[in-house]
Amino acid sequence: MIYLKKVIYLFIAILCFQSCNSIEIDYIQPITAKKMVAYCFFNPDSIWSVQLSKLGSVTDVVSNNLLINNATVTISENNKVIDTLILKKNGYYSSLRNLKPEYNKKYTLIVECEGFDKLYSTQESLPSPIIYSSYKVYQNLLPDIFPKETYNDSWYKQKTVEIILSIEKGQFIKASTTHFENNVVWGVSVALNNMSNLIEYNSLNGNIFEVKETANMKLQTAVSYDSDKLRIMTISPHYLLYEVSYAEYEFVVNTTKILTPNNVFSNIKGGGGLFVGYTLKIVDL
């Protein structure tokens, strides 16, 4: 029995000794794919502009070293090149002909660069714009419109904006505000009586609504008392998918360590990024 105990102790000692020794493992970092990343948010009021970078590895630090300055960047309309973008500054390309996107036309972004895979987007168009006829600003929340909000201690720090909009079925509308002292964008609260014709989606810096039926609507919103501008955008369906997926990604990353973050939507083939259209109306408050 004593002999058996000695054998067991010796076996445990050997295991402990082995576990204390370090083990070297050769790790070969995978080669980052030769992929490019392009971002182009286009609207009818600005010339074509694209930001271009390369897809880095997990150990890369985001810096100007990732930006690409020697690519051929073109915009096609119905598979015909209509504009070539030239390098304006590090990683940023702009229209050579100072062209702007137009309504009812379908565009494709194509990027080629030596040493990288060819990048091209899906066909995209400008969404139909928002049309508004008049608006009013009240320097407080109106109790009959926002009955629940007026019970909140901060109700006196908000004001009501009423704006008459012509909206179309299938439009995606994004509403937000900016403030006097900074360019921070904030979302707005929409009155419940407006929601019968709207479907709301989560977004990081503004509320996004899908219009159910074409109508003239009095949009009633509650905004911060120090808001100076109301921003009303219409965005394309792919822009909506990007906004919703990015909001979900940020939520998972910032609130839980258990769930795996989703992929942020991209409509770029052969690489990453986004090529989407929007329109913007700004109302001074």
Side-chain angles (χ1 to χ4, degrees):
M1 186 70 178
I2 296 176
Y3 176 76
L4 181 59
K5 287 184 178 181
K6 290 182 178 180
V7 171
I8 293 174
Y9 292 154
L10 179 61
F11 179 72
I12 294 175
I14 293 173
L15 287 178
C16 292
F17 176 77
Q18 289 293 333
S19 64
C20 293
N21 287 331
S22 61
I23 300 175
E24 294 185 0
I25 301 176
D26 292 329
Y27 172 73
I28 300 176
Q29 179 174 313
I31 299 174
T32 303
K34 293 296 183 179
K35 303 288 186 182
M36 293 181 287
V37 179
Y39 281 97
C40 177
F41 298 85
F42 59 89
N43 69 86
D45 301 316
S46 303
I47 65 172
W48 289 104
S49 181
V50 175
Q51 180 186 11
L52 188 63
S53 63
K54 63 181 179 180
L55 184 65
S57 71
V58 293
T59 58
D60 281 336
V61 177
V62 176
S63 68
N64 289 336
N65 294 331
L66 293 178
L67 299 176
I68 296 175
N69 297 325
N70 61 333
T72 300
V73 182
T74 57
I75 302 295
S76 294
E77 178 190 337
N78 295 325
N79 299 320
K80 180 181 178 181
V81 175
I82 61 169
D83 200 4
T84 299
L85 280 58
I86 60 174
L87 183 69
K88 289 293 186 180
K89 61 179 182 178
N90 196 11
Y92 289 86
Y93 297 76
S94 296
S95 171
L96 175 63
R97 302 171 56 195
N98 291 324
L99 294 183
K100 298 178 181 179
E102 298 179 13
Y103 291 106
N104 303 315
K105 293 187 176 181
K106 296 181 179 181
Y107 299 105
T108 305
L109 171 68
I110 302 173
V111 182
E112 296 181 85
C113 184
E114 184 178 356
F116 292 90
D117 294 344
K118 183 178 179 179
L119 175 153
Y120 58 100
S121 72
T122 56
Q123 277 194 334
E124 296 294 324
S125 303
L126 286 169
S128 56
I130 275 292
I131 299 175
Y132 74 92
S133 55
S134 62
Y135 70 95
K136 294 181 180 179
V137 180
Y138 302 90
Q139 297 304 317
N140 61 292
L141 286 185
L142 302 182
D144 57 330
I145 298 175
F146 296 100
K148 292 183 179 180
E149 284 80 354
T150 53
Y151 287 103
N152 191 302
D153 292 338
S154 62
W155 70 269
Y156 64 92
K157 295 183 179 180
Q158 300 182 65
K159 54 189 176 183
T160 303
V161 179
E162 291 184 344
I163 182 167
I164 307 299
L165 300 176
S166 295
I167 56 177
E168 299 176 7
K169 181 179 179 179
Q171 274 185 322
F172 296 106
I173 300 172
K174 181 175 181 179
S176 58
T177 60
T178 56
H179 297 258
F180 292 111
E181 298 181 354
N182 53 55
N183 292 321
V184 176
V185 178
W186 296 91
V188 300
S189 297
V190 173
L192 287 178
N193 59 354
N194 287 147
M195 295 307 298
S196 60
N197 195 28
L198 300 173
I199 301 172
E200 186 171 8
Y201 297 91
N202 290 327
S203 175
L204 285 180
N205 55 357
N207 306 67
I208 299 178
F209 305 94
E210 180 180 356
V211 179
K212 295 180 182 179
E213 298 294 339
T214 300
N216 290 323
M217 181 177 71
K218 181 189 289 185
L219 182 67
Q220 299 165 318
T221 66
V223 303
S224 174
Y225 74 97
D226 59 353
S227 299
D228 63 341
K229 296 182 186 301
L230 175 65
R231 297 162 49 92
I232 304 178
M233 301 171 62
T234 58
I235 62 177
S236 68
H238 280 165
Y239 199 149
L240 170 72
L241 292 177
Y242 169 77
E243 288 270 0
V244 172
S245 64
Y246 193 77
E248 291 176 353
Y249 175 86
E250 285 289 315
F251 174 79
V252 171
V253 168
N254 294 324
T255 61
T256 178
K257 303 296 183 182
I258 301 175
L259 300 177
T260 301
N262 59 292
N263 291 325
V264 177
F265 174 81
S266 172
N267 65 338
I268 301 292
K269 300 178 181 179
L274 203 66
F275 180 70
V276 290
Y278 71 95
T279 71
L280 174 64
K281 298 290 185 183
I282 298 179
V283 179
D284 292 325
L285 304 180

